[in-house]
Amino acid sequence: MAINMKGKNLISIADLSVEEIYQIFDVSKSLKEKLYTGESHKYLEGKTLGMIFTKRSTRTRVSFETGIYQLGGIGMYFGPNDLQLGTSESISDTAKVLGRYLDGIMIRTFDHQDVLELGKYAAIPVINGLTDLLHPCQVLTDLFTVLEKKRVLKGLKLAYIGDGNNMAHSLLNGCSKVGMNIAIASPSGYKPNKEIIETAKKFAKYMGSKIEITDDPVAAVKNADIVYTDVWASMGQEQEAQERKKKFAKYQVNPKLVKNAKDDYIFMHCLPAHRGEEVVNEVADSPNSVIFDEAENRLHVQKAIMALVM
Ligand code: CP
Ligand code: NVA
C-alpha cells in the first residue's frame, strides 16, 4: 500500500519511516526506468519548485532543476543575493509568502535551524538540499545506489573515513534506519555530533545493526562493503583547509587503506572530491568506484522525493 507523503517536509532522514524510505527507492527506480525508456512521467505538471541557495552547488542545483522540468514543472533559482530572506525579512514571513506562490521549496544553506524554521512556517513541502548539519537527499541517493549495486542494504557495512560533518550525520541517520552497519573513523575533535550518534544507536539497535565511532581508519574499513569519504573542509570552512589537511593526513582513502575492505567493496563520495586529499585517483577511478552512478542517481531520487511530497 502506498504511503501518502504529500505535503511532508524532507529535512532529515531521521524523520522518515523505514517504509517511506523504501517507497522513495521504489519510485526512484520506476522514474529512472521511465526516463531511460522515454515514457512520460509528468507527475508535477504546472508546479513550481523554488530553489534557494546560499552556498555553491553543481549536482544539487542541476539535478533538482532538471528533475522538476522532467516531471512537467518548473524550477526557480534564488542565489545568495536574490531574496529578502534573512537580511531584510524574517524566515517566517518569507516562508508564509513563498507558500502562497510555490508548490515546494528546496533550500541549501548554512544554519540547519533556518531550514527547520522555513519548514515550520511554509505551507508547502520544504526539502533540505544540504545544511552544515545534514545532507539527506545525498544519503537517500547513496542508499539507493547501494541497493542497486548490492541488491540489499540490511547487514552491509559502510565505512566512512574523514570529517564528522553533514555527510557523516546523514549517513548515521540513513544507515541506522535501514539496518546497515556503519563505522566512522575521524580524528579527535572532528567526530560526528553526539546527539545524532545516540539517535542512530537507538535505530541501529532496533534494526539489529552496529554503529562504531573510532580514530582508526583501518579498523573502520575492515571487511567493509562500502568505503565512503567526503572533503576534509566543507563549504564555509575554507579558512581551516590548511590546518585540516595536517589533521586528516592519516585519513586518506588510498589503495593501501581499501585493501582492508571486502574484495567487492564499492567506493562512494558525494562529490565534489578534492583528489589527492581525502581520496586519490587510484581509488576514485578504480573499477570499485561508483561515484558517477551515485551522482546520476541524485536526479532520480530527488524526482521521487518531489513527486511524493509535492
Ligand atoms: N554532492 C552535492 O551535493 O554536490 P553539489 O555541492 O555540487 O550540489
Ligand atoms: N561536506 C560537504 C558536502 C558537499 C556536498 C560540504 O558541506 O561542503
Side-chain angles (χ1 to χ4, degrees):
M1 244 271 288
I3 306 157
N4 185 5
M5 294 175 70
K6 197 164 187 247
K8 203 177 159 95
N9 292 331
L10 205 146
I11 296 179
S12 168
I13 297 175
D15 304 333
L16 298 174
S17 68
V18 183
E19 292 74 21
E20 286 173 330
I21 293 174
Y22 278 96
Q23 173 161 274
I24 293 171
F25 297 158
D26 288 345
V27 176
S28 305
K29 182 168 184 274
S30 142
L31 289 174
K32 186 171 181 174
E33 280 162 10
K34 286 188 164 70
L35 185 70
Y36 277 34
T37 57
E39 192 182 322
S40 169
H41 51 280
K42 297 197 182 309
Y43 302 137
L44 296 179
E45 191 109 56
K47 304 232 173 183
T48 308
L49 175 77
M51 308 189 303
I52 306 174
F53 285 87
T54 70
K55 285 178 173 169
R56 293 181 306 274
S57 169
T58 298
R59 281 143 288 268
T60 306
R61 158 94 200 257
V62 180
S63 57
F64 266 106
E65 194 161 342
T66 305
I68 184 74
Y69 175 73
Q70 290 177 356
L71 289 167
I74 188 165
M76 212 181 261
Y77 173 81
F78 306 108
N81 302 314
D82 289 333
L83 297 177
Q84 306 275 14
L85 184 66
T87 45
S88 44
E89 191 165 20
S90 68
I91 295 178
S92 55
D93 281 358
T94 306
K96 287 174 194 165
V97 171
L98 291 181
R100 303 271 177 131
Y101 304 131
L102 303 168
D103 301 287
I105 299 172
M106 179 259 115
I107 177 165
R108 163 170 291 196
T109 195
F110 294 84
D111 192 344
H112 191 71
Q113 287 308 320
D114 290 352
V115 177
L116 291 174
E117 196 161 332
L118 196 65
K120 182 171 168 195
Y121 291 104
I124 51 174
V126 169
I127 302 171
N128 178 0
L130 179 146
T131 62
D132 289 345
L133 191 72
L134 298 175
H135 198 0
C137 293
Q138 178 69 53
V139 169
L140 286 167
T141 302
D142 297 337
L143 296 177
F144 175 71
T145 308
V146 173
L147 194 56
E148 279 188 332
K149 304 287 174 192
K150 299 280 178 195
R151 302 282 152 205
V152 287
L153 294 177
K154 203 168 178 330
L156 296 180
K157 178 181 179 183
L158 183 144
Y160 174 90
I161 310 300
D163 191 21
N165 60 12
N166 42 14
M167 282 311 311
H169 294 152
S170 282
L171 284 167
L172 278 164
N173 285 336
C175 291
S176 61
K177 281 263 168 167
V178 299
M180 271 167 71
N181 303 300
I182 173 167
I184 296 189
S186 325
S188 66
Y190 298 91
K191 299 272 190 247
N193 175 298
K194 284 207 176 77
E195 258 175 66
I196 292 179
I197 297 174
E198 286 319 308
T199 309
K201 279 189 173 159
K202 282 185 201 140
F203 288 135
K205 191 168 175 209
Y206 178 72
M207 293 299 289
S209 65
K210 269 200 323 234
I211 311 264
E212 191 186 334
I213 310 290
T214 172
D215 294 330
D216 181 358
V218 175
V221 171
K222 201 112 239 134
N223 288 320
D225 299 280
I226 302 117
V227 179
Y228 203 115
T229 189
D230 183 19
V231 290
W232 292 336
S234 285
M235 288 182 274
Q237 297 171 333
E238 288 80 3
Q239 70 297 341
E240 295 172 34
Q242 286 314 318
E243 184 195 342
R244 282 169 173 262
K245 257 188 217 174
K246 284 183 222 141
K247 295 208 166 122
F248 283 86
K250 262 183 33 198
Y251 294 82
Q252 184 182 69
V253 177
N254 54 36
K256 189 169 170 228
L257 183 65
V258 297
K259 274 213 176 78
N260 299 286
K262 287 194 180 149
D263 288 341
D264 64 347
Y265 87 95
I266 56 174
F267 172 71
M268 303 184 85
H269 192 309
C270 55
L271 305 179
H274 293 171
R275 288 163 179 260
E277 293 182 22
E278 77 274 5
V279 65
V280 297
N281 292 343
E282 293 93 307
V283 174
D285 299 325
S286 71
N288 300 72
S289 174
V290 300
I291 56 176
F292 297 112
D293 293 337
E294 183 185 359
E296 178 195 322
N297 281 337
R298 291 291 299 279
L299 174 68
H300 311 301
V301 172
Q302 288 160 189
K303 279 168 74 180
I305 292 169
M306 290 189 281
L308 286 164
V309 303
M310 287 167 66

